[in-house]
Amino acid sequence: MREADININRVDWVTVLIYFALVLIGWFNIYAAVYDGQVDKSIFDFSINSGKQLVWIGTAIALIIVIMAADYRLFENLAIPLYIFFLILLVITPFVGKEVNGQVLSIGVGSFRIQPGEFAKFATALALAKFMERPTFDLSKPNFQLRAFAVLLLPVVLIILQPDTGTAMVYFSMLIMFYREGLPQKYYILGIGLIALVLLALGIENNLYLVAAVVVIVGILIAIGKKTPQRIIAFTAIGIGLIAFIYSLDFVVSKLPVHQQNRIMVLFNPDLDPLGVGWNVTQSKIAIGSGGLAGKGYLQGTQTKFDFVPEQHTDFIFCTLGEEFGWLGSLVVIALFVTLLTRLVIMAERQKNRFSRIYGYCVVSILMFHFMINIAMTIGLFPVVGIPLPFFSYGGSSLWSFTILLFIFIKMDSSRALQLGRMG
C-alpha cells in the first residue's frame, strides 16, 4: 500500500486532466460531426459514432486503470516481446486484414477490429527505449546509429506495404528523441535540406530553374574555399547528385498511387479541381473560416450538418471545432495540446533513468507530429495523409493506442522515485 500511495501522490494530474478534457471535447465534436439536425438522436445513442466512441472511452478508462495498477518495471520487461508481437501482426495484416479503399490496415473478428500500425507506435517507442538505455549506447557512433534506425524502420517498412503512408510517417517523428539522445546535427541539416529541395522541386514547374540554382551554389562553394582537387571533386559530385535527385522525384511521384499524387498536386495548387481532388481541403477551409471569432454555435455548423466535409468525424474533426466554436474554441484546444506537450517534456527531463526519458520523448514526438500534421492538413498546409487528431478523432484503435502511449509514461513518471538511476 505504501508504494501505491507514493505513486498516486506523484501522478501528474495536470496531464491526466488535459487528457480527459481533450477526450470530452472530442466526444462532443464527434456528435456534432454526425448530427444532421433532422433525426433527433442522443449523443449516447450506440447506433451513431458518438455512442460508439463512448464505448471506446469507457474501455480506454479501463486500460488506464490496468496500466496505473501495474508495476512500472513491467513495461520495460515487455518492451521487446511487445515489439516482436506487433511486428508479427503487421506482417500478417495484408494477408488476413480487411481491405478498405485499397488499404489493408485492420485485423479482427466481426465488427471488432484494430489497426496494428497504431499500436505498434508505443511498442516501437518501448523497444527503442530498451535498446538505447545502456550507458554505453552512443548515437554519435555509426554502428549504434544503424542499430537504432533498424529498430525504427522495420515497422515503417511493414506499414508502407499495407500501404499506409500517413501512419508510416509518424514513426519518423521519433527522430526528435534521437536528437535529444545525441544523434549528430549534420543528419538533421541534411534531412531538412532534402525536404526543402523536394518541396522546391515539386512546387516549381520548370526544374531547370532549380538545377541552375544548384549549379550556382555549388560553384560559389568551390570558389570561396581552397581549390584542392579533392574539394572540387567532392562538391561537383554533390551537385551532380542533387541534380539527379531533382529529376528522379518526378519518377518517384509517378509511381505513387493516384490519390497520393492528387494530394501532392492539391498542396501546391489548392484551386486545382476544387470539386474533385481538392474537395476535402477546400470544404475544410470553408468550414473553419466560416466559424469566425466565436463560431456558429454548437450543432449549428452548416458545413458540418450538411456533410460537405468527408471524414469529418475522423481526420477532419478539427474543422467541426473551427466552424462551431470559431477561432476562440480552436485556440483553447490548441492551448491544451501545447500545454500537454510542454508538461510531457518537463516530465521526460525529470526521469531518473534513460529508459523512461527516451520513452517520454517518443511520446512527445508522436503526439506533436499528430497534432501539428492533422491541423496543417485541415487548413491545406500539408497533404491529406490520414493522420487523426490525438484523443479527439473518432476511432477505437486511435483512442486506445494514444491512451496506452500516454499513460505508460504517466505511470513511469509517477514511479520515478522508485527507479534506478541509469541516466546517460
Side-chain angles (χ1 to χ4, degrees), residues 205-219:
E205 291 186 10
N206 192 340
N207 285 335
L208 286 176
Y209 294 114
L210 195 55
V211 170
V214 170
V215 171
V216 171
I217 293 172
V218 170

Side-chain angles (χ1 to χ4, degrees), residues 44-119:
F44 301 99
D45 192 325
F46 294 135
S47 67
I48 59 176
N49 288 335
S50 59
K52 296 174 184 176
Q53 186 73 1
L54 184 60
V55 175
W56 296 122
I57 293 171
T59 50
I61 293 173
L63 287 172
I64 292 170
I65 294 171
V66 171
I67 290 170
M68 298 305 293
D71 190 309
Y72 73 95
R73 291 163 293 193
L74 176 67
F75 308 111
E76 185 174 353
N77 295 334
L78 289 178
I80 302 303
L82 281 172
Y83 178 71
I84 295 173
F85 172 73
F86 282 107
L87 286 181
I88 293 172
L89 289 186
L90 288 173
V91 170
I92 66 174
T93 295
F95 302 101
V96 301
K98 181 180 180 181
E99 182 175 343
V100 178
N101 297 326
Q103 296 176 306
V104 184
L105 308 180
S106 64
I107 58 175
V109 178
S111 60
F112 178 78
R113 313 194 70 81
I114 63 168
Q115 295 183 21
E118 292 290 336
F119 290 93

Side-chain angles (χ1 to χ4, degrees), residues 3 19 74 87 217 225 232 235 253 257 261 274 317 320 326 334 341 373 382 389 395 399 408 411:
E3 179 178 322
Y19 164 83
L74 176 67
L87 286 181
I217 293 172
I232 294 173
F235 277 107
V253 171
Q261 294 183 42
I317 189 70
T320 304
I334 290 172
L341 294 171
I373 297 301
F382 199 86
L389 189 59
L399 180 61
I408 285 177
K411 174 63 181 181

Side-chain angles (χ1 to χ4, degrees), residues 33 35 274-276 278-287 290 296 301-312 316 319-320 323:
Y35 178 79
L275 299 179
W279 176 266
N280 287 28
V281 175
T282 300
Q283 296 303 317
S284 175
K285 290 192 290 185
I286 291 173
S290 66
K296 298 175 180 177
T302 53
Q303 294 291 114
T304 296
K305 191 178 296 182
F306 297 113
D307 270 343
F308 280 104
V309 185
E311 305 300 330
Q312 193 160 343
F316 285 88
C319 69
T320 304
E323 182 179 19

Side-chain angles (χ1 to χ4, degrees), residues 177-199:
M177 176 275 292
F178 279 41
Y179 180 80
R180 171 61 181 85
E181 295 304 314
L183 187 67
Q185 291 183 1
K186 61 184 179 182
Y187 294 108
Y188 295 90
I189 295 172
L190 176 62
I192 292 171
L194 287 175
I195 291 172
L197 187 62
V198 168
L199 293 175

Side-chain angles (χ1 to χ4, degrees), residues 75-76 126 129-130 133 353-359 412:
F75 308 111
E76 185 174 353
L126 286 171
K130 183 67 177 177
E133 71 168 341
N353 64 43
R354 197 177 186 187
F355 178 87
S356 298
R357 185 184 70 199
I358 291 171
Y359 180 78
M412 289 179 183

